[in-house]
Amino acid sequence: MRGKLWFIGGLAAGFVLGARAGREKYEELVVRGRKVLDHPTVQEAAGVAQAQANRLYAEGKDRLSHTRLGEKLGAGTTANGNTTELTSTGAGSTSTSTTRGTTPPGTGTASF
């Protein structure tokens, strides 16, 4: 019985000491990671990558818009007669705009 208590006590002490050391190492890694991310060279590379991604997105969207599928995706009509259009916000993301149609609710057709 005494051996079991010593074993459990040793496990508890090891857990507490390991958790403290682990937290300190974690904090050290976080600080180093932030230094790397804040470095001007990394920021410049991220900006270049973002600009290229935006350019490729715009080219792909333009190419797709000249196809039948692109025409369907670009300006579809919802079930309530509204027209939706996908647009680029310039930051690599898209937004959806909705225009009111003249078709009464429930009589329009959905286009995907």
Side-chain angles (χ1 to χ4, degrees):
M1 183 71 174
R2 192 177 234 185
K4 289 181 182 179
L5 289 176
W6 277 104
F7 180 74
I8 292 173
L11 283 177
F15 177 78
V16 169
L17 293 174
R20 285 189 185 161
R23 183 68 182 179
E24 289 172 7
K25 290 291 184 184
Y26 170 77
E27 292 294 334
E28 184 180 327
L29 287 173
V30 168
V31 168
R32 285 185 184 181
R34 287 189 180 144
K35 283 183 182 179
V36 168
L37 290 177
D38 291 339
H39 195 275
T41 305
V42 175
Q43 290 294 318
E44 183 180 345
V48 169
Q50 182 68 47
Q52 187 172 6
N54 288 341
R55 181 182 58 82
L56 291 172
Y57 170 79
E59 287 178 9
K61 183 180 172 190
D62 186 47
R63 284 184 184 175
L64 182 64
S65 68
H66 297 307
T67 64
R68 292 177 106 186
L69 177 62
E71 290 172 3
K72 285 185 175 182
L73 291 174
T77 305
T78 61
N80 61 2
N82 295 339
T83 302
T84 60
E85 184 175 346
L86 295 176
T87 57
S88 173
T89 60
S93 59
T94 59
S95 64
T96 305
S97 60
T98 303
T99 307
R100 291 270 180 207
T102 57
T103 308
T107 59
T109 60
S111 175
F112 297 107

PDB file of all heavy atoms in Angstrom, residues 61-89:
ATOM      1  N   LYS A  61     -11.717  33.301 -62.371  1.00  0.00           N
ATOM      2  CA  LYS A  61     -13.105  33.762 -62.383  1.00  0.00           C
ATOM      3  C   LYS A  61     -13.465  34.304 -63.755  1.00  0.00           C
ATOM      4  O   LYS A  61     -14.552  34.049 -64.272  1.00  0.00           O
ATOM      5  CB  LYS A  61     -13.297  34.841 -61.319  1.00  0.00           C
ATOM      6  CG  LYS A  61     -14.712  35.334 -61.212  1.00  0.00           C
ATOM      7  CD  LYS A  61     -14.833  36.381 -60.143  1.00  0.00           C
ATOM      8  CE  LYS A  61     -16.205  36.990 -60.189  1.00  0.00           C
ATOM      9  NZ  LYS A  61     -16.316  38.153 -59.335  1.00  0.00           N
ATOM     10  N   ASP A  62     -12.540  35.035 -64.368  1.00  0.00           N
ATOM     11  CA  ASP A  62     -12.778  35.582 -65.701  1.00  0.00           C
ATOM     12  C   ASP A  62     -12.929  34.460 -66.730  1.00  0.00           C
ATOM     13  O   ASP A  62     -13.829  34.495 -67.560  1.00  0.00           O
ATOM     14  CB  ASP A  62     -11.635  36.524 -66.086  1.00  0.00           C
ATOM     15  CG  ASP A  62     -11.902  37.226 -67.400  1.00  0.00           C
ATOM     16  OD1 ASP A  62     -13.035  37.742 -67.578  1.00  0.00           O
ATOM     17  OD2 ASP A  62     -10.986  37.265 -68.255  1.00  0.00           O
ATOM     18  N   ARG A  63     -12.045  33.464 -66.669  1.00  0.00           N
ATOM     19  CA  ARG A  63     -12.126  32.335 -67.598  1.00  0.00           C
ATOM     20  C   ARG A  63     -13.437  31.574 -67.412  1.00  0.00           C
ATOM     21  O   ARG A  63     -14.075  31.165 -68.380  1.00  0.00           O
ATOM     22  CB  ARG A  63     -10.962  31.391 -67.403  1.00  0.00           C
ATOM     23  CG  ARG A  63      -9.671  31.894 -67.968  1.00  0.00           C
ATOM     24  CD  ARG A  63      -8.599  30.859 -67.823  1.00  0.00           C
ATOM     25  NE  ARG A  63      -7.320  31.370 -68.273  1.00  0.00           N
ATOM     26  CZ  ARG A  63      -6.194  30.710 -68.174  1.00  0.00           C
ATOM     27  NH1 ARG A  63      -6.177  29.510 -67.627  1.00  0.00           N
ATOM     28  NH2 ARG A  63      -5.069  31.236 -68.608  1.00  0.00           N
ATOM     29  N   LEU A  64     -13.823  31.367 -66.167  1.00  0.00           N
ATOM     30  CA  LEU A  64     -15.045  30.629 -65.888  1.00  0.00           C
ATOM     31  C   LEU A  64     -16.275  31.394 -66.355  1.00  0.00           C
ATOM     32  O   LEU A  64     -17.247  30.803 -66.816  1.00  0.00           O
ATOM     33  CB  LEU A  64     -15.154  30.315 -64.390  1.00  0.00           C
ATOM     34  CG  LEU A  64     -16.358  29.496 -63.951  1.00  0.00           C
ATOM     35  CD1 LEU A  64     -16.295  28.100 -64.565  1.00  0.00           C
ATOM     36  CD2 LEU A  64     -16.414  29.401 -62.440  1.00  0.00           C
ATOM     37  N   SER A  65     -16.234  32.711 -66.261  1.00  0.00           N
ATOM     38  CA  SER A  65     -17.407  33.506 -66.635  1.00  0.00           C
ATOM     39  C   SER A  65     -17.708  33.407 -68.124  1.00  0.00           C
ATOM     40  O   SER A  65     -18.828  33.684 -68.544  1.00  0.00           O
ATOM     41  CB  SER A  65     -17.215  34.961 -66.237  1.00  0.00           C
ATOM     42  OG  SER A  65     -16.199  35.560 -67.020  1.00  0.00           O
ATOM     43  N   HIS A  66     -16.736  32.987 -68.939  1.00  0.00           N
ATOM     44  CA  HIS A  66     -16.947  32.852 -70.378  1.00  0.00           C
ATOM     45  C   HIS A  66     -17.420  31.461 -70.775  1.00  0.00           C
ATOM     46  O   HIS A  66     -17.474  31.142 -71.951  1.00  0.00           O
ATOM     47  CB  HIS A  66     -15.657  33.200 -71.135  1.00  0.00           C
ATOM     48  CG  HIS A  66     -15.218  34.616 -70.941  1.00  0.00           C
ATOM     49  ND1 HIS A  66     -16.032  35.696 -71.163  1.00  0.00           N
ATOM     50  CD2 HIS A  66     -14.040  35.125 -70.514  1.00  0.00           C
ATOM     51  CE1 HIS A  66     -15.387  36.804 -70.895  1.00  0.00           C
ATOM     52  NE2 HIS A  66     -14.167  36.488 -70.485  1.00  0.00           N
ATOM     53  N   THR A  67     -17.788  30.640 -69.811  1.00  0.00           N
ATOM     54  CA  THR A  67     -18.291  29.305 -70.092  1.00  0.00           C
ATOM     55  C   THR A  67     -19.768  29.225 -69.724  1.00  0.00           C
ATOM     56  O   THR A  67     -20.301  30.107 -69.040  1.00  0.00           O
ATOM     57  CB  THR A  67     -17.516  28.243 -69.289  1.00  0.00           C
ATOM     58  OG1 THR A  67     -17.742  28.451 -67.894  1.00  0.00           O
ATOM     59  CG2 THR A  67     -16.024  28.304 -69.584  1.00  0.00           C
ATOM     60  N   ARG A  68     -20.420  28.176 -70.158  1.00  0.00           N
ATOM     61  CA  ARG A  68     -21.845  28.007 -69.833  1.00  0.00           C
ATOM     62  C   ARG A  68     -22.031  27.856 -68.320  1.00  0.00           C
ATOM     63  O   ARG A  68     -22.952  28.422 -67.739  1.00  0.00           O
ATOM     64  CB  ARG A  68     -22.412  26.784 -70.542  1.00  0.00           C
ATOM     65  CG  ARG A  68     -22.494  26.956 -72.036  1.00  0.00           C
ATOM     66  CD  ARG A  68     -22.993  25.707 -72.666  1.00  0.00           C
ATOM     67  NE  ARG A  68     -24.371  25.949 -73.084  1.00  0.00           N
ATOM     68  CZ  ARG A  68     -25.155  25.028 -73.578  1.00  0.00           C
ATOM     69  NH1 ARG A  68     -24.735  23.787 -73.691  1.00  0.00           N
ATOM     70  NH2 ARG A  68     -26.376  25.324 -73.952  1.00  0.00           N
ATOM     71  N   LEU A  69     -21.155  27.076 -67.697  1.00  0.00           N
ATOM     72  CA  LEU A  69     -21.248  26.887 -66.254  1.00  0.00           C
ATOM     73  C   LEU A  69     -21.042  28.219 -65.540  1.00  0.00           C
ATOM     74  O   LEU A  69     -21.747  28.540 -64.588  1.00  0.00           O
ATOM     75  CB  LEU A  69     -20.215  25.866 -65.776  1.00  0.00           C
ATOM     76  CG  LEU A  69     -20.137  25.617 -64.279  1.00  0.00           C
ATOM     77  CD1 LEU A  69     -21.465  25.053 -63.765  1.00  0.00           C
ATOM     78  CD2 LEU A  69     -19.009  24.688 -63.949  1.00  0.00           C
ATOM     79  N   GLY A  70     -20.085  28.994 -66.008  1.00  0.00           N
ATOM     80  CA  GLY A  70     -19.822  30.294 -65.407  1.00  0.00           C
ATOM     81  C   GLY A  70     -20.994  31.234 -65.530  1.00  0.00           C
ATOM     82  O   GLY A  70     -21.284  32.017 -64.628  1.00  0.00           O
ATOM     83  N   GLU A  71     -21.678  31.184 -66.654  1.00  0.00           N
ATOM     84  CA  GLU A  71     -22.862  32.031 -66.826  1.00  0.00           C
ATOM     85  C   GLU A  71     -23.949  31.637 -65.833  1.00  0.00           C
ATOM     86  O   GLU A  71     -24.619  32.484 -65.265  1.00  0.00           O
ATOM     87  CB  GLU A  71     -23.375  31.925 -68.257  1.00  0.00           C
ATOM     88  CG  GLU A  71     -22.452  32.586 -69.269  1.00  0.00           C
ATOM     89  CD  GLU A  71     -22.864  32.317 -70.707  1.00  0.00           C
ATOM     90  OE1 GLU A  71     -23.911  31.665 -70.924  1.00  0.00           O
ATOM     91  OE2 GLU A  71     -22.129  32.749 -71.609  1.00  0.00           O
ATOM     92  N   LYS A  72     -24.104  30.326 -65.613  1.00  0.00           N
ATOM     93  CA  LYS A  72     -25.103  29.873 -64.643  1.00  0.00           C
ATOM     94  C   LYS A  72     -24.707  30.263 -63.221  1.00  0.00           C
ATOM     95  O   LYS A  72     -25.537  30.669 -62.431  1.00  0.00           O
ATOM     96  CB  LYS A  72     -25.282  28.360 -64.727  1.00  0.00           C
ATOM     97  CG  LYS A  72     -26.063  27.911 -65.911  1.00  0.00           C
ATOM     98  CD  LYS A  72     -26.289  26.418 -65.850  1.00  0.00           C
ATOM     99  CE  LYS A  72     -27.178  25.957 -66.977  1.00  0.00           C
ATOM    100  NZ  LYS A  72     -27.446  24.519 -66.896  1.00  0.00           N
ATOM    101  N   LEU A  73     -23.428  30.105 -62.906  1.00  0.00           N
ATOM    102  CA  LEU A  73     -22.966  30.429 -61.556  1.00  0.00           C
ATOM    103  C   LEU A  73     -22.899  31.931 -61.323  1.00  0.00           C
ATOM    104  O   LEU A  73     -23.138  32.403 -60.224  1.00  0.00           O
ATOM    105  CB  LEU A  73     -21.582  29.826 -61.303  1.00  0.00           C
ATOM    106  CG  LEU A  73     -21.493  28.326 -61.188  1.00  0.00           C
ATOM    107  CD1 LEU A  73     -20.036  27.896 -61.075  1.00  0.00           C
ATOM    108  CD2 LEU A  73     -22.279  27.836 -60.001  1.00  0.00           C
ATOM    109  N   GLY A  74     -22.562  32.682 -62.361  1.00  0.00           N
ATOM    110  CA  GLY A  74     -22.355  34.119 -62.220  1.00  0.00           C
ATOM    111  C   GLY A  74     -23.616  34.876 -61.911  1.00  0.00           C
ATOM    112  O   GLY A  74     -23.618  35.807 -61.123  1.00  0.00           O
ATOM    113  N   ALA A  75     -24.705  34.533 -62.536  1.00  0.00           N
ATOM    114  CA  ALA A  75     -25.959  35.251 -62.316  1.00  0.00           C
ATOM    115  C   ALA A  75     -27.095  34.249 -62.317  1.00  0.00           C
ATOM    116  O   ALA A  75     -27.695  33.972 -63.345  1.00  0.00           O
ATOM    117  CB  ALA A  75     -26.177  36.307 -63.389  1.00  0.00           C
ATOM    118  N   GLY A  76     -27.379  33.677 -61.189  1.00  0.00           N
ATOM    119  CA  GLY A  76     -28.459  32.708 -61.064  1.00  0.00           C
ATOM    120  C   GLY A  76     -29.705  33.360 -60.503  1.00  0.00           C
ATOM    121  O   GLY A  76     -29.656  34.416 -59.888  1.00  0.00           O
ATOM    122  N   THR A  77     -30.843  32.753 -60.748  1.00  0.00           N
ATOM    123  CA  THR A  77     -32.099  33.249 -60.212  1.00  0.00           C
ATOM    124  C   THR A  77     -32.549  32.314 -59.107  1.00  0.00           C
ATOM    125  O   THR A  77     -32.590  31.106 -59.301  1.00  0.00           O
ATOM    126  CB  THR A  77     -33.177  33.311 -61.307  1.00  0.00           C
ATOM    127  OG1 THR A  77     -32.670  34.100 -62.377  1.00  0.00           O
ATOM    128  CG2 THR A  77     -34.453  33.915 -60.786  1.00  0.00           C
ATOM    129  N   THR A  78     -32.880  32.865 -57.965  1.00  0.00           N
ATOM    130  CA  THR A  78     -33.329  32.050 -56.842  1.00  0.00           C
ATOM    131  C   THR A  78     -34.810  31.747 -56.979  1.00  0.00           C
ATOM    132  O   THR A  78     -35.489  32.267 -57.863  1.00  0.00           O
ATOM    133  CB  THR A  78     -33.070  32.778 -55.508  1.00  0.00           C
ATOM    134  OG1 THR A  78     -33.811  33.997 -55.501  1.00  0.00           O
ATOM    135  CG2 THR A  78     -31.597  33.075 -55.325  1.00  0.00           C
ATOM    136  N   ALA A  79     -35.307  30.920 -56.094  1.00  0.00           N
ATOM    137  CA  ALA A  79     -36.703  30.487 -56.156  1.00  0.00           C
ATOM    138  C   ALA A  79     -37.670  31.655 -56.009  1.00  0.00           C
ATOM    139  O   ALA A  79     -38.769  31.618 -56.548  1.00  0.00           O
ATOM    140  CB  ALA A  79     -36.969  29.445 -55.078  1.00  0.00           C
ATOM    141  N   ASN A  80     -37.295  32.718 -55.336  1.00  0.00           N
ATOM    142  CA  ASN A  80     -38.218  33.838 -55.151  1.00  0.00           C
ATOM    143  C   ASN A  80     -38.019  34.927 -56.201  1.00  0.00           C
ATOM    144  O   ASN A  80     -38.565  36.012 -56.086  1.00  0.00           O
ATOM    145  CB  ASN A  80     -38.090  34.419 -53.745  1.00  0.00           C
ATOM    146  CG  ASN A  80     -36.707  34.957 -53.469  1.00  0.00           C
ATOM    147  OD1 ASN A  80     -35.836  34.940 -54.330  1.00  0.00           O
ATOM    148  ND2 ASN A  80     -36.505  35.438 -52.258  1.00  0.00           N
ATOM    149  N   GLY A  81     -37.251  34.634 -57.258  1.00  0.00           N
ATOM    150  CA  GLY A  81     -37.123  35.573 -58.354  1.00  0.00           C
ATOM    151  C   GLY A  81     -35.977  36.551 -58.208  1.00  0.00           C
ATOM    152  O   GLY A  81     -35.757  37.380 -59.072  1.00  0.00           O
ATOM    153  N   ASN A  82     -35.247  36.474 -57.133  1.00  0.00           N
ATOM    154  CA  ASN A  82     -34.106  37.362 -56.948  1.00  0.00           C
ATOM    155  C   ASN A  82     -32.924  36.853 -57.761  1.00  0.00           C
ATOM    156  O   ASN A  82     -32.757  35.660 -57.950  1.00  0.00           O
ATOM    157  CB  ASN A  82     -33.715  37.454 -55.481  1.00  0.00           C
ATOM    158  CG  ASN A  82     -34.795  38.105 -54.644  1.00  0.00           C
ATOM    159  OD1 ASN A  82     -35.635  38.822 -55.153  1.00  0.00           O
ATOM    160  ND2 ASN A  82     -34.783  37.830 -53.359  1.00  0.00           N
ATOM    161  N   THR A  83     -32.105  37.756 -58.222  1.00  0.00           N
ATOM    162  CA  THR A  83     -30.907  37.386 -58.966  1.00  0.00           C
ATOM    163  C   THR A  83     -29.715  37.543 -58.055  1.00  0.00           C
ATOM    164  O   THR A  83     -29.556  38.574 -57.400  1.00  0.00           O
ATOM    165  CB  THR A  83     -30.740  38.291 -60.205  1.00  0.00           C
ATOM    166  OG1 THR A  83     -31.888  38.163 -61.010  1.00  0.00           O
ATOM    167  CG2 THR A  83     -29.515  37.893 -60.999  1.00  0.00           C
ATOM    168  N   THR A  84     -28.863  36.523 -58.003  1.00  0.00           N
ATOM    169  CA  THR A  84     -27.663  36.591 -57.183  1.00  0.00           C
ATOM    170  C   THR A  84     -26.450  36.603 -58.075  1.00  0.00           C
ATOM    171  O   THR A  84     -26.441  36.013 -59.147  1.00  0.00           O
ATOM    172  CB  THR A  84     -27.578  35.399 -56.224  1.00  0.00           C
ATOM    173  OG1 THR A  84     -27.538  34.206 -56.999  1.00  0.00           O
ATOM    174  CG2 THR A  84     -28.742  35.359 -55.263  1.00  0.00           C
ATOM    175  N   GLU A  85     -25.408  37.301 -57.630  1.00  0.00           N
ATOM    176  CA  GLU A  85     -24.171  37.358 -58.394  1.00  0.00           C
ATOM    177  C   GLU A  85     -22.996  37.297 -57.440  1.00  0.00           C
ATOM    178  O   GLU A  85     -22.972  38.001 -56.430  1.00  0.00           O
ATOM    179  CB  GLU A  85     -24.115  38.651 -59.209  1.00  0.00           C
ATOM    180  CG  GLU A  85     -22.895  38.734 -60.092  1.00  0.00           C
ATOM    181  CD  GLU A  85     -22.917  39.960 -60.985  1.00  0.00           C
ATOM    182  OE1 GLU A  85     -23.962  40.592 -61.119  1.00  0.00           O
ATOM    183  OE2 GLU A  85     -21.862  40.264 -61.537  1.00  0.00           O
ATOM    184  N   LEU A  86     -22.019  36.456 -57.750  1.00  0.00           N
ATOM    185  CA  LEU A  86     -20.804  36.355 -56.954  1.00  0.00           C
ATOM    186  C   LEU A  86     -19.839  37.434 -57.403  1.00  0.00           C
ATOM    187  O   LEU A  86     -19.608  37.613 -58.586  1.00  0.00           O
ATOM    188  CB  LEU A  86     -20.152  34.982 -57.118  1.00  0.00           C
ATOM    189  CG  LEU A  86     -20.946  33.801 -56.596  1.00  0.00           C
ATOM    190  CD1 LEU A  86     -20.213  32.504 -56.933  1.00  0.00           C
ATOM    191  CD2 LEU A  86     -21.137  33.904 -55.106  1.00  0.00           C
ATOM    192  N   THR A  87     -19.286  38.158 -56.444  1.00  0.00           N
ATOM    193  CA  THR A  87     -18.318  39.198 -56.779  1.00  0.00           C
ATOM    194  C   THR A  87     -17.116  39.064 -55.882  1.00  0.00           C
ATOM    195  O   THR A  87     -17.208  38.597 -54.754  1.00  0.00           O
ATOM    196  CB  THR A  87     -18.926  40.605 -56.592  1.00  0.00           C
ATOM    197  OG1 THR A  87     -19.381  40.724 -55.251  1.00  0.00           O
ATOM    198  CG2 THR A  87     -20.077  40.836 -57.541  1.00  0.00           C
ATOM    199  N   SER A  88     -15.976  39.495 -56.371  1.00  0.00           N
ATOM    200  CA  SER A  88     -14.738  39.471 -55.596  1.00  0.00           C
ATOM    201  C   SER A  88     -14.648  40.744 -54.786  1.00  0.00           C
ATOM    202  O   SER A  88     -14.969  41.827 -55.266  1.00  0.00           O
ATOM    203  CB  SER A  88     -13.541  39.373 -56.540  1.00  0.00           C
ATOM    204  OG  SER A  88     -12.352  39.517 -55.812  1.00  0.00           O
ATOM    205  N   THR A  89     -14.197  40.619 -53.535  1.00  0.00           N
ATOM    206  CA  THR A  89     -14.043  41.792 -52.682  1.00  0.00           C
ATOM    207  C   THR A  89     -12.635  42.349 -52.744  1.00  0.00           C
ATOM    208  O   THR A  89     -12.321  43.302 -52.074  1.00  0.00           O
ATOM    209  CB  THR A  89     -14.397  41.454 -51.222  1.00  0.00           C
ATOM    210  OG1 THR A  89     -13.515  40.424 -50.784  1.00  0.00           O
ATOM    211  CG2 THR A  89     -15.840  41.032 -51.097  1.00  0.00           C
TER     212      THR A  89
END
